[in-house]
């Protein structure tokens, strides 16, 4: 594919994804939350009873759809490739702390864009932190940071994570009594589009993200590293389409105070997204990209998602997650610990002795 | 020959970027991921190299030459 066509395709896909995100809110999702990978993984953790915050319990079909959409599209394009074994527990830890950062800010990078498109000024503060975090990650990438290579795995191994999503879908459709649900009007978990709408939206966006390699972290990262604009075009297209969609539906409400599922503590919005940007750059992709890669057969990304799921569960079990009232003391401590851990991982994997098999400095 | 098999993006591109500092007229690189092929090709073309890709058993050899 030549560069012009590639940019056109990701631009169109980004516009479509932005509109789908606005449509999901129209059909029932919480405001500025057509998609939020972190929030939806957190809701899924709640739906499975991994945490007991009643306000955020719902096995979100969007997540299932994103993974399966990428899985199907990767097969159609002959790109399904089971691989793994690249510093697996380190990826788990990074996924864990990326989730802590997201729940401090109240959103993943995808929702950060949707919050900006809805007029939420706090998301601009988040963007500044996010960009600074990516800058920190790029600093280490340029100096040789690597989680070492991955290796081919059996197709069966690569299919486990998509199969788990299929099983979750089966339970949600046929045995919902096994799962926990936020009671009506009980919080964001109660706000959702119909299962079939959410699933369909996830499938389409998962497929589009597979084809275009869309990644919210990749845009700013590649531009900083190589002046490469492709992924940044996707980022901008989502923002533009969601902004226009919100304007059309009268849902654009500029300001800082009383924004939906958001708080105004600027320092912690900044530091939360700093942790997300830094952690995601070290992982090689944003939470959405991790789901898509997991659908394409990456076991490393599947483990990262499990790390995020664990982070989400613990964030609510130990009051680390923020709410509209603001950040918690425990959450602030967790973000600081996260920044220290992520920095240590970056330093060790940049300047540490390369002892992995077959690797030399 | 730069071996970037198993490396996830953007690592292969950074490896190439650093190798290209020596300014040689040709480079060869092995990757095993379609995304890496796309990203490396884009970067090399931008740097003024012609890229030929050859696929064998899930691995790709990229030959970059400056005309």
């Amino acid at each position: 594919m030549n560069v012009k066509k590639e940019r056109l395709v990701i631009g169109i896909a980004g516009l479509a994804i932005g509109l789908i995100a606005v449509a999901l809110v129209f059909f029932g999702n919480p405001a500025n939350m057509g998609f939020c990978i972190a929030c939806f993984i957190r809701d899924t953790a709640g739906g499975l009873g991994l945490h007991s915050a009643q306000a955020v319990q719902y096995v979100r079909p969007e997540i299932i759809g994103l993974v399966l959409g990428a899985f199907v599209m990767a097969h159609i394009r002959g790109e399904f490739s089971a691989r793994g074994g690249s510093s697996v527990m380190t990826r788990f830890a990074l996924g864990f702390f990326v989730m802590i950062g997201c729940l401090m800010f109240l959103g993943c990078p995808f929702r950060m864009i949707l919050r900006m498109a809805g007029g939420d000024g706090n998301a601009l503060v988040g963007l500044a932190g996010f960009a600074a975090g990516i800058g920190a990650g790029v600093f280490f990438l340029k100096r040789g940071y690597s989680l070492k290579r991955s290796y081919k795995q059996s197709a069966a191994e690569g299919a486990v994570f998509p199969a788990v999503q299929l099983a979750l879908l089966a339970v949600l459709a046929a045995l919902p009594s096994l799962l926990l649900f936020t009671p009506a009007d009980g919080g964001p978990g109660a706000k959702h589009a119909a299962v079939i709408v959410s699933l369909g939206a996830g499938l389409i966006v998962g497929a589009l993200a597979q084809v275009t390699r869309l990644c919210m972290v990749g845009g700013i990262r590649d531009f900083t590293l190589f002046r490469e604009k492709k992924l940044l075009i996707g980022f901008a297209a989502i923002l533009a389409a969601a902004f226009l969609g919100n304007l059309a539906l009268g849902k654009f409400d500029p300001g800082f105070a009383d924004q939906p599922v958001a708080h105004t503590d600027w320092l912690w919005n900044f530091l939360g997204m700093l942790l997300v940007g830094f952690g995601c750059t070290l992982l090689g992709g944003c939470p959405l990209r991790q789901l898509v890669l997991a659908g394409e057969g990456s076991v490393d990304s599947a483990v990262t998602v499990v790390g995020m799921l664990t982070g989400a569960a613990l964030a609510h079990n130990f009051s680390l997650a923020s709410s509209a009232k603001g950040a918690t003391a425990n959450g602030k401590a967790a973000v600081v610990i996260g920044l220290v851990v992520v920095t240590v991982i970056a330093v060790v994997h940049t300047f540490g002795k390369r002892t992995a098999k077959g690797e030399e400095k | 020959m730069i071996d970037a098999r198993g490396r996830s993006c953007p690592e292969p591109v950074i490896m190439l970027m650093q190798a290209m500092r020596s300014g040689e007229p040709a480079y060869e690189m092995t990757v095993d991921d379609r995304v890496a092929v796309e990203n490396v090709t884009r970067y090399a073309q931008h740097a003024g190299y012609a890229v030929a890709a050859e696929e064998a058993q899930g691995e790709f050899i990229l030959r970059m030459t400056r005309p």
Side-chain angles (χ1 to χ4, degrees):
Chain A
M1 218 187 299
N2 68 38
V3 173
K4 261 190 188 158
K5 191 177 162 204
E6 230 177 28
R7 288 181 178 178
L8 185 69
V9 169
I10 198 168
I12 293 169
L15 291 174
I17 291 169
L19 292 178
I20 290 171
V22 172
L24 278 171
V25 175
F26 179 79
F27 286 117
N29 275 18
N32 296 346
M33 209 190 279
F35 279 98
C36 172
I37 309 309
C39 317
F40 290 180
I41 288 176
R42 183 265 323 270
D43 293 351
T44 298
L48 294 171
L50 298 175
H51 68 68
S52 46
Q54 235 190 0
V56 284
Q57 293 177 329
Y58 177 52
V59 173
R60 294 272 179 186
E62 287 89 346
I63 298 289
I64 298 170
L66 286 167
V67 175
L68 296 180
F71 177 79
V72 171
M73 189 51 100
H75 273 91
I76 292 173
R77 288 159 45 89
E79 290 187 347
F80 183 84
S81 161
R83 57 183 71 225
S86 153
S87 307
V88 182
M89 277 315 289
T90 304
R91 288 181 188 272
F92 178 94
L94 288 170
F96 181 98
F97 282 109
V98 162
M99 180 58 83
I100 300 297
C102 288
L103 293 178
M104 168 57 73
F105 168 72
L106 292 171
C108 71
F110 197 167
R111 182 169 190 246
M112 178 186 74
I113 299 179
L114 298 176
R115 281 175 60 175
M116 288 193 281
D120 181 344
N122 305 296
L124 292 172
V125 179
L127 176 66
F130 184 58
I134 294 173
V138 164
F139 173 88
F140 289 99
L141 275 174
K142 278 186 165 169
R143 282 159 185 77
Y145 168 85
S146 171
L147 287 181
K148 314 296 175 295
R149 62 162 300 179
S150 63
Y151 298 86
K152 253 194 161 45
Q153 307 288 325
S154 68
E157 170 74 357
V160 170
F161 189 76
V164 168
Q165 302 305 312
L166 211 52
L168 270 182
L169 180 62
V171 172
L172 181 66
L175 279 171
S177 59
L178 284 179
L179 304 171
L180 299 175
F181 293 89
T182 302
D185 297 324
K191 293 184 180 169
H192 55 80
V195 171
I196 190 75
V197 173
S198 295
L199 181 68
L203 285 168
I204 294 169
V205 173
L208 290 174
Q210 197 282 328
V211 173
T212 57
R213 328 294 190 200
L214 184 74
C215 174
M216 312 304 165
V217 125
I220 299 172
R221 179 199 65 202
D222 289 354
F223 188 74
T224 313
L225 269 171
F226 321 119
R227 296 284 169 255
E228 167 53 47
K229 298 186 205 64
K230 179 193 156 190
L231 295 174
L232 208 52
I233 292 171
F235 184 106
I238 295 174
L239 178 64
F243 169 67
L244 293 174
N246 281 328
L247 270 187
L249 293 175
K251 289 189 189 291
F252 181 75
D253 174 24
F256 284 85
D258 299 320
Q259 289 289 337
V261 201
H263 63 78
T264 55
D265 193 333
W266 68 269
L267 176 64
W268 293 96
N269 278 328
F270 181 91
L271 291 176
M273 285 313 277
L274 176 77
L275 177 55
V276 174
F278 195 1
C280 286
T281 306
L282 298 186
L283 280 167
C286 71
L288 170 71
R289 183 78 183 139
Q290 300 300 331
L291 286 178
V292 169
L293 286 172
E296 290 181 26
S298 166
V299 181
D300 294 331
S301 288
V303 169
T304 305
V305 175
V306 177
M308 291 196 282
L309 182 80
T310 310
L314 293 200
H316 283 277
N317 289 339
F318 298 115
S319 305
L320 313 181
S322 303
S323 67
K325 289 181 210 125
T328 67
N330 290 4
K332 292 173 184 175
V335 166
V336 171
I337 293 169
L339 286 169
V340 172
V341 171
V342 169
T343 306
V344 168
I345 289 173
V347 169
V348 168
H349 289 271
T350 304
F351 305 109
K353 267 201 168 160
R354 317 236 158 155
T355 49
K357 212 174 156 188
E359 299 264 351
E360 283 165 49
K361 181 115 191 171
Chain B
M1 172 74 87
I2 308 163
D3 181 3
R5 286 174 300 172
R7 302 300 192 115
S8 52
C9 276
E11 281 182 43
V13 188
I14 295 174
M15 291 164 89
L16 178 65
M17 182 171 79
Q18 283 167 348
M20 276 186 173
R21 283 194 191 137
S22 62
E24 280 161 54
Y27 294 93
E28 252 183 41
M29 189 164 193
T30 321
V31 298
D32 58 0
D33 173 27
R34 226 37 103 67
V35 183
V37 174
E38 289 168 16
N39 290 346
V40 166
T41 302
R42 206 187 297 117
Y43 182 81
Q45 284 173 346
H46 197 74
Y49 287 76
V51 184
E54 184 188 309
E55 185 178 359
Q57 290 153 3
E59 292 185 0
F60 304 82
I61 297 173
L62 300 168
R63 293 193 174 83
M64 290 154 277
T65 45
R66 202 158 42 192

